[in-house]
Amino acid sequence: MKKLLFTTINGILRPFKGKGLSNTKIGKFVYEKVFVPNKPNFVNVEGFKLYLHEGKDLLSDSLLITKEYEPIETNIIKGLVKPGDTVVDAGANIG
């Protein structure tokens, strides 16, 4: 039920992303009372399971809405790295 509710709300809100809705009273209410409490704890991006922070978190919320993480960098790496290559991701923490 929680996942269905979140998916429905996310689908309804997607067209309004970046339109300033979060700055309105209704936008803040929906985010605080509906979006945050019902968001899942992970999202699948490019075939990888990424775990999300609970509560309010800009990066986690963006991942949930767009299902993308650094799309420009991701496409560059996908073009350069071939099956069988070894890659070291050093310093991969946020911040």
Side-chain angles (χ1 to χ4, degrees):
M1 178 66 174
K2 183 177 173 180
K3 184 177 179 181
L4 177 63
L5 177 63
F6 181 83
T7 303
T8 302
I9 293 165
N10 194 25
I12 292 168
L13 296 178
R14 184 175 293 228
F16 301 102
K17 182 179 184 299
K19 304 283 193 265
L21 182 64
S22 62
N23 297 325
T24 66
K25 285 184 180 183
I26 188 70
K28 288 177 183 176
F29 174 82
V30 169
Y31 178 77
E32 299 265 339
K33 304 297 183 191
V34 182
F35 185 86
V36 172
N38 290 294
K39 75 180 190 179
N41 64 346
F42 70 92
V43 64
N44 287 309
V45 177
E46 295 283 334
F48 294 94
K49 189 177 198 177
L50 301 178
Y51 286 89
L52 307 171
H53 293 282
E54 292 181 11
K56 294 187 249 179
D57 178 69
L58 182 62
L59 177 59
S60 294
D61 296 349
S62 177
L63 283 169
L64 281 169
I65 294 167
T66 65
K67 304 286 192 273
E68 292 182 323
Y69 179 70
E70 298 183 347
I72 295 169
E73 292 84 349
T74 299
N75 285 332
I76 290 170
I77 297 299
K78 286 169 71 175
L80 294 173
V81 178
K82 304 297 178 214
D85 288 353
T86 300
V87 177
V88 175
D89 187 5
N93 293 323
I94 297 173

